[in-house]
Structures are given as structure tokens and as C-alpha cells.
Amino acid sequence: MGISMSDLTAQKRLEKVNLIKRIIAMVLGAGSVVMFFLPYAQFVFKDTKYVTSGLDLLIASGFRVETGTVSALVGIPVLIRIAAVAGAVFALAGAVLIFFKRPVLSGLSFVLSAVTPLVVLLSTAGIQADVTALNISNVTVGYMAPFVYVLAAGLACAVLALSTQGVEKLARAIFLTFACVSIAAVLTITVYIFSAGIPAMAQIGVFRFLFGTTWDASTEQFGILPLILASICGTAGAIVIGVPIGILTAVFLTEIAKPKVAKIIHPAIELLAGIPSVVYGFFGMLVIVPAIRAVFPGKTIGDSLLAAIIILAIMVIPTIVNVTENALRAVPKSYREASLGLGATPIKTIFKVTIPAARSGILSGVILGVGRAIGETMAVIMVAGNVANMPTLLGTTRFLTTGIAMEMSYASGLHRQALFAIGLVLFIFIMIVNISFTVISRKGAKVNA
Amino acid sequence: MRSNTAAVQTAQPPQPHKPQSLYRKKSHKSDIVLRVVIYTATVITVAALIGIIGYILWNGVPHITWSFLSSAYSETRESMKGILPMIINTLYIVVITLLISAPIGISAAIYLTQYAKQGKLVRAIRFTTEVLSGIPSIIFGLFGYTVFCILFRLQTSIIAGCLTMAICVLPTIIRTTEEALLAVPGSYKEGALALGAGKFRVIMGIVLPCAMPGVLTAVILAMGRIVGESAALLFTSGLSYNMPNGFFSQIMSSGRTLTLHLYQTAREAASPDALSIAFATASVLLIFIFILNRLASLLSKVLKKG
């Protein structure tokens, strides 16, 4: 009897706490709705200043901007209009839902209302693009208290609403939210790389951009064929050299070496993977480049595609060794025993049985290596010479990655946009590599199962 | 396996009257060639490693002096060639990045291992995490520059670099933590659940503490990645080398890390003197990486034993 009594009081207290939480959430949510009518953001175009509330952002036709002679109407991006309303609507929905004891739905709509200021923030880039066309460079956008309030209150209300469900569900919701950060990150990166890269491609012309052979910022010639070819040749060269060495090293470590020896070499290779790419580049600059100059006297200044290939080959080895090692270790012992039992020598067993059995794992290692080589920037920038020539083995070259890194600091206008377009091309390359990696490793998992 | 081949190699040539074993009939010349090839490949890998590390440390370590580690840097003044600002900037970036991404990454790993059931959402999370780990750092740099520096108006600043790096290292943290959490025996969890503890309490009280060495490994691996990163920070945290005065003013302004300092000094080095700064910086970097690497493998040993 006593237990159930204390249970009852605990229950009552819990209900009371939950009621208070719900009331606070409702009040805060109502606050977000009120904020819709208060000054939300401020736009300053040179000397015209606009203070806008959420309502203004919804109904105003645009900003009248006058620059001496020209007077133009700068439109408000649709996304901003939607977001400004959505902030209030979702907050209202959240408050109503929590009143009717629907904590999950309420939490969700509070989160959505908290996201809207971020959408506004991200969409102001559209306004800036419009205004740049009017030759106004100094646009400043200021955000005011309601902007911050909607963001903060949305999150606070979501936590309050979910916490009425008990700590278990709240924890689950928070863990889930964080788990989705990678999805959000990949989505925003994709959207940004595309939206930053496409305008330049459209302006230059996709064909002229991808297949143009001259890159010269001063005459606004932006053809990236040399860069694409250099990246492909460099990666292919690194793979051709690095993959056999990597696979054979992994074979040595798993099949031949005594455990003692493997125990020394394995961490050493892990260390090789951890060396910063700048250090590789530095080494290449001081050792490999002069060596190439010495081997081919008079034919090259040393900074060349070949130097980049050698450095990249060294850089992909640890990746390939690691993945191949895992793949080889996953081959069942019985395969090897069967082969040896049939009279094959240990070496034959390795090349005819073990390696073929680990094929898909090794292939995914190779693809990872390709990804690493294509994306490498700093090591290449230090050894490849960075002139946008058509790639020849001993001539200076510029890769896609180094093309971006070299000029980003001072580029402006179309030039800068062209660099973003290079980023887009690189991104598409990497996505192809990534997706083939996923497909192959999934196939491998199926075969092993 | 080894003794067999050794026996074959030293065996007498076959005699016509005695029955031959199946094993001996085969030609083993190709075996020896392949064996030599395997050894050569391993030697090349090890030689590359020893060559790079040896070359850098040999030329760099003699130049690491206390004043090099503890003084500020100036491009013009001969007396000021220290790397203290770069060390501080690197530390700031490591700490802030981890403060942002470790809670997110660990929570994500907890969700994936403890709560998630196979489904579209989980597959999407895994796929995007994989994609994220494959994106080259220059793309992160480009993205960080447009979003954090320009859109969020952070300019080129250390905090913009941190936000960029936080996305960069997320996959490392998620994956390593996931492995550590999966390694915790299911019986621990079941025992706690049977005693009536809620799932959240089981995770916080049992699973996470048991997986702690693994979680720390994840954090250390991420540290290594941040210390070694350069391309993603080139446009986001920038290249200035002012001596930091005050935490908040420093993280809102541009500052180069050790890697970028090495890049910049190596490119500009005209005299052997200037080159020695680059060598010493590279050595400091290698020593940092080496320590982190050792720590990570020590911790994973602890995890295996535990």
C-alpha cells in the first residue's frame, strides 16, 4: 500500500512538472509568433537602409535601391519569404500541439521553426548576387534579436516538449538529431558546391569550360582540360606504381612475415598514413624534384607530373596496404589449407587462391587510393610546378585541386566562380569514386556472406 | 610453410629411379622470383617511410631550440623566427574543433549502434558518413570558405577553420566510436537492463564507460587529422602569424597552423637559413603526429585487453 501511495505522489509530481514544461513551451512558442511582427533583419545597401520584420519580408515587393542614376527593385528570394512565415507558423503549430499533448509532433515543428532563421541566413546570398549586378559591392545584412529568439526558442521548446515524454525519448531524439548531422552536411556541401559552380559553367559554356585547353585568368580564358587530364594522369600514375607495391607489402605482412616482423612494420605503415601531406610535399620538393632534375638534365626543371606521381604513389601505399591486409586476413584459413593440401606451393597459394579470394576488398582499397590521389592538394602543389600546361611526364602541370588552391586567395568575379566550377568538377569525380566504392564494398560483403 | 620451401630450395636434383613427389615436380623458379618481388615491394615501402622521416628529422631536429618553440614569428626580422603562434593556433583549432565534433560524432555513433534498426534512415546516415570521409579537404576548404567565411560573415578566422574541420573529422569520430561501442559485450548491457535500468542510463553508465578507451582513440585520431590538415584551412583559417593576445580575439581572427606555416616557409625559402625553419617545423609536426599515433595504438591495446 505504502509503495503505491508514493508511486501516486511521484506520478502527480511528474504530471505537475510536465504541465509547467508545457506551459513554458507554449509561452516561448507564442513569443516566436509575436517576433514575426518585430524588426527581424536589416539590410544596408550603400546608403539605403531597410529594417524588415518577418511580415515585411513576406509582403514587401522588394528593396528599392538607388545608386545615383539607376534605381532598381531588388527582389526578395522566395525561400526567404517562405522561411519568414514558416518560422511563425511552425512555432504556432508547436504551441498548439503541445497544448493537445502531442510532444513528438510539437518538438518536430519547434525544431523546424528554429531552422527557419538559418534558411533566411543562407538565402541572403541570393540578394547579394542580385545587388552585385547593380554594381553595389558593400551590402551588409544585420540580424536582430527576434532572429536569434526564433532560433533559440525553437530549440528550447523542442527540448521542453520532448522532455515531457521522459528522459529516454529525449535522449533518443537528441542522439538521432546528431546522427543526422552527416546527412545534413553532405546535403549542404552538395547544394553549395553545385550552386557555386554552375553559374560560371553556364557563363563560360560547359563545353568550352571542360574541353578548353587554355587557362588564363588575365584574358578570361577558362578551359580546364589540362587540369582534368593532369589529375587523371597523376592519379593513374600513382595507382600504377602504388597499388602493386601496396598489395605486395600487404601480402608480405599477412602471409610471409613472422608476427614479430609484422608487428614492427605494421605500425610503421600506419605512421606513414598519418604524415601530413605538407610534409610529403616538402620532402618531394627537396628530394624528388632535384633528383628528377639530376636524372633528366636539361629536359626538365624538376617540378613535374612525374614528381607528383611519385609523391602520390608513396601517399596511397598506406591506404592500399591497410585495406588489402584486412581483406587478406578475412580469407578463411581453409582456402589456404585446401590449396596447400592439393600440392600448391605457398607462393602459388597466395597468388592463385588468397589474392583472388580477397579481390573485392583489394579493389575497394584501390578505389580509396584513387580518391586520396585525386583529392590531394598540398603535396601536389609543392612538386608539380603549377603551370596549366597539357600534362607531359617531365613538364610542369596543374591539377584540379591545385588549380583551386593556387588562385583562390586573389581571384574575384568570373575567375573566382570558375574556381568554384573546378571544385564542382572535382566533386563529381570524387562522387563517382565514392559511389563505386560503396557499390563494390557492398558486393564484397554479399560475396563473403 | 617456410621450412617446406627452404627444403625444396636446398634439395638435390631429382634422380630418375626414385619416385618423385608431386610437390617437387613443379617448377619453383617463378616462386623465387615472386618472393623476391614481394620482398622488394616491402623494402620500398619501408625505405620510403624511413627515408622521409629520417630526412626530415635529421635536418630538422638540430634546429629545434627553446627559442624556436617559444618566440613569435616575423617575416622580416631575423631575430623572430619562432613558431609559438602557430603552435597556439594549432592547439586552438584542435580543441575547438573537437568540442564541436566530438559530442556530435559520439552521439551519432551511440544512435547508430544502440538505437537504430536497419532502415532507410540508418542506411542514409552510413552512406553520407562514407561520402563525407571521401570528400577531399580542398572541397571542405571551398565549402567552409563560402559558407562560414562569407555567408556567416566570420571572415578568414580560426573559428571558421574550426567549423570546417568539425565536418571534416566527423566520419573519423563516428566510425571509430561505433567500433568501440560494438566491442562492448552484449551481456553487460543485458545485465543492466535486466536490473531495471533505462536504456539511456545503461548507455551512459555501462556502455560508454566500457568503450571509453575506444572513444578516446577516436578523439586522438581526429586530433591527428586536424594537426595534419592544411588544404581545408588554407582559405578558412588563413595565413597570418600574429602573436595571439586573448583567446576570443584570436579565434575571431586569421591564424596559420603548423602545417600552413611549413607550407608557406617552404615555398618562400630562398636561403638555407629559411629552409632550416621549414625543416624544424616539419620535425615538430612529425613529432606531434608520432606522439598521437603512439597514444592511439596504446589505447586500442587497452581496449583489447579490457
Side-chain angles (χ1 to χ4, degrees):
Chain A
M1 194 64 191
I3 293 165
S4 70
M5 278 292 284
S6 74
D7 269 4
L8 261 176
T9 47
Q11 187 82 33
K12 266 191 181 158
R13 187 174 307 146
L14 192 68
E15 266 174 19
K16 221 179 195 174
V17 170
N18 278 346
L19 183 67
I20 294 170
K21 281 180 186 165
R22 278 165 46 209
I23 290 173
I24 297 175
M26 274 189 279
V27 172
L28 286 176
S32 283
V33 180
V34 173
M35 292 301 160
F36 181 64
F37 302 99
L38 297 179
Y40 186 80
Q42 140 184 328
F43 297 82
V44 183
F45 305 94
K46 230 170 191 175
D47 32 46
T48 2
K49 183 173 160 189
Y50 288 96
V51 177
T52 53
S53 67
L55 187 64
D56 293 334
L57 284 177
L58 176 65
I59 57 174
S61 51
F63 303 105
R64 168 76 49 195
V65 180
E66 285 165 24
T67 56
T69 52
V70 194
S71 158
L73 198 66
V74 177
I76 300 174
V78 181
L79 214 52
I80 290 191
R81 294 181 193 265
I82 296 174
V85 187
V89 170
F90 280 122
L92 187 63
V96 171
L97 283 167
I98 194 69
F99 181 76
F100 288 111
K101 296 194 185 175
R102 292 269 188 283
V104 177
L105 286 176
S106 156
L108 192 67
S109 69
F110 276 128
V111 168
L112 286 174
S113 91
V115 169
T116 57
L118 295 178
V119 175
V120 172
L121 185 70
L122 295 180
S123 316
T124 41
I127 293 185
Q128 270 174 332
D130 272 4
V131 174
T132 321
L134 286 175
N135 278 331
I136 303 179
S137 52
N138 54 340
V139 184
T140 49
V141 187
Y143 300 98
M144 301 185 155
F147 180 86
V148 182
Y149 178 91
V150 174
L151 183 78
L155 290 179
C157 289
V159 171
L160 279 172
L162 288 172
S163 73
T164 58
Q165 288 234 307
V167 70
E168 290 293 332
K169 293 225 166 122
L170 178 65
R172 191 197 154 95
I174 291 175
F175 288 143
L176 175 62
T177 317
F178 282 144
C180 291
V181 168
S182 354
I183 301 183
V186 168
L187 283 183
T188 33
I189 289 176
T190 314
V191 168
Y192 255 86
I193 295 294
F194 271 88
S195 66
I198 284 175
M201 271 210 208
Q203 198 172 335
I204 299 163
V206 175
F207 190 82
R208 283 237 324 257
F209 181 69
L210 291 179
F211 298 103
T213 52
T214 336
W215 174 276
D216 186 356
S218 57
T219 57
E220 296 225 322
Q221 279 183 291
F222 300 111
I224 62 163
L225 189 64
L227 282 63
I228 294 179
L229 288 180
S231 270
I232 292 175
C233 294
T235 305
I239 291 300
V240 167
I241 299 174
V243 163
I245 296 178
I247 292 179
L248 292 173
T249 307
V251 166
F252 176 80
L253 288 177
T254 53
E255 311 289 321
I256 297 179
K258 286 178 187 163
K260 252 189 200 167
V261 181
K263 249 184 201 160
I264 298 172
I265 298 184
H266 182 82
I269 288 172
E270 259 173 26
L271 191 62
L272 198 60
I275 296 178
S277 42
V278 186
V279 175
Y280 278 110
F282 184 55
F283 176 79
M285 203 175 107
L286 293 175
V287 176
I288 293 174
V289 167
I292 290 176
R293 202 181 304 142
V295 172
F296 304 99
K299 284 185 189 156
T300 169
I301 57 161
D303 295 273
S304 59
L305 182 61
L306 182 62
I309 287 177
I310 294 174
I311 275 296
L312 286 176
I314 299 176
M315 292 181 76
V316 298
I317 286 175
T319 314
I320 290 165
V321 172
N322 266 336
V323 180
T324 309
E325 245 190 295
N326 288 337
L328 289 174
R329 280 189 212 284
V331 175
K333 218 173 178 180
S334 54
Y335 286 24
R336 292 177 193 125
E337 280 161 1
S339 164
L340 290 171
L342 285 171
T345 61
I347 294 283
K348 277 236 162 63
T349 305
I350 292 171
F351 284 94
K352 299 264 163 171
V353 177
T354 321
I355 292 182
R359 210 172 31 213
S360 73
I362 295 175
L363 189 58
S364 57
V366 172
I367 293 174
L368 273 186
V370 170
R372 179 145 194 211
I374 280 194
E376 183 48 54
T377 314
M378 302 309 269
V380 174
I381 216 173
M382 293 166 91
V383 298
N386 303 316
V387 184
N389 294 325
M390 276 298 181
T392 54
L393 197 58
L394 294 175
T396 53
T397 47
R398 178 185 289 189
F399 284 43
L400 286 170
T401 47
T402 54
I404 303 169
M406 284 295 293
E407 297 178 355
M408 197 62 203
S409 52
Y410 61 84
S412 63
L414 183 61
H415 183 193
R416 163 167 289 193
Q417 288 189 318
L419 295 181
F420 283 118
I422 297 182
L424 174 59
V425 173
L426 181 63
F427 187 71
I428 291 171
F429 270 36
I430 284 292
M431 281 319 232
I432 294 171
V433 171
N434 255 327
I435 288 167
S436 46
F437 172 76
T438 315
V439 169
I440 284 174
S441 49
R442 240 182 238 156
K443 249 189 207 163
K446 254 181 216 161
V447 170
N448 286 344
Chain B
M1 276 159 73
R2 307 194 98 244
S3 60
N4 275 349
T5 27
V8 171
Q9 280 163 20
T10 54
Q12 303 290 320
Q15 289 162 9
H17 297 296
K18 284 188 178 173
Q20 292 178 351
S21 86
L22 270 173
Y23 192 89
R24 289 250 300 285
K25 255 197 227 162
K26 318 224 167 201
S27 151
H28 299 304
K29 259 184 206 154
S30 63
D31 278 20
I32 296 170
V33 172
L34 285 172
R35 201 171 268 273
V36 170
V37 171
I38 292 175
Y39 279 109
T40 321
T42 312
V43 168
I44 292 176
T45 308
V46 175
L49 173 78
I50 295 175
I52 292 175
I53 294 181
Y55 179 75
I56 303 271
L57 290 184
W58 181 261
N59 288 296
V61 170
H63 297 288
I64 302 177
T65 56
W66 176 246
S67 75
F68 176 71
L69 293 175
S70 65
S71 64
Y73 182 80
S74 154
E75 268 173 358
T76 45
R77 281 170 51 191
E78 272 311 307
S79 58
M80 280 169 61
K81 291 291 179 197
I83 54 165
L84 185 61
M86 298 29 147
I87 293 180
I88 295 176
N89 289 337
T90 309
L91 278 181
Y92 280 173
I93 292 190
V94 167
V95 170
I96 300 171
T97 303
L98 287 177
L99 281 181
I100 300 168
S101 71
I104 296 178
I106 293 169
S107 305
I110 289 177
Y111 182 81
L112 286 174
T113 56
Q114 310 294 322
Y115 287 96
K117 296 179 192 85
Q118 277 310 318
K120 270 193 184 143
L121 182 66
V122 173
R123 243 181 292 151
I125 295 170
R126 283 190 201 285
F127 177 70
T128 48
T129 312
E130 236 167 65
V131 168
L132 214 50
S133 69
I135 294 177
S137 38
I138 185 83
I139 297 272
F140 280 114
L142 214 54
F143 170 75
Y145 176 74
T146 42
V147 172
F148 300 125
C149 301
I150 295 181
L151 206 56
F152 287 6
R153 280 156 238 291
L154 292 169
Q155 318 302 342
T156 18
S157 63
I158 287 182
I159 188 79
C162 295
L163 290 168
T164 312
M165 282 314 293
I167 305 175
C168 250
V169 298
L170 202 56
T172 315
I173 296 183
I174 293 180
R175 212 173 302 149
T176 321
T177 311
E178 241 187 292
E179 270 165 33
L181 291 172
L182 284 177
V184 176
S187 54
Y188 290 16
K189 223 170 26 176
E190 282 150 22
L193 284 170
L195 286 174
K199 196 161 189 175
F200 179 62
R201 263 192 85 185
V202 174
I203 291 168
M204 285 309 179
I206 308 280
V207 180
L208 209 50
C210 286
M212 220 27 167
V215 176
L216 282 179
T217 311
V219 171
I220 289 171
L221 286 179
M223 277 176 157
R225 171 94 202 258
I226 303 166
V227 169
E229 186 54 65
S230 41
L233 294 171
L234 188 61
F235 328 124
T236 50
S237 80
L239 289 168
S240 71
Y241 46 79
N242 299 327
M243 191 69 196
N245 50 353
F247 178 74
F248 285 104
S249 65
Q250 182 63 14
I251 65 168
M252 294 312 286
S253 60
S254 157
R256 58 166 81 152
T257 58
L258 283 170
T259 46
L260 289 174
H261 186 59
L262 169 59
Y263 170 67
Q264 208 59 13
T265 46
R267 271 161 57 97
E268 287 163 2
S271 62
D273 248 10
L275 207 56
S276 70
I277 296 171
F279 268 121
T281 314
S283 304
V284 171
L285 260 174
L286 279 184
I287 291 167
F288 268 155
I289 294 288
F290 187 70
I291 293 172
L292 290 175
N293 198 297
R294 284 287 75 201
L295 266 179
S297 63
L298 271 181
L299 274 171
S300 62
K301 257 179 213 153
V302 171
L303 187 64
K304 263 178 204 156
K305 267 185 204 155

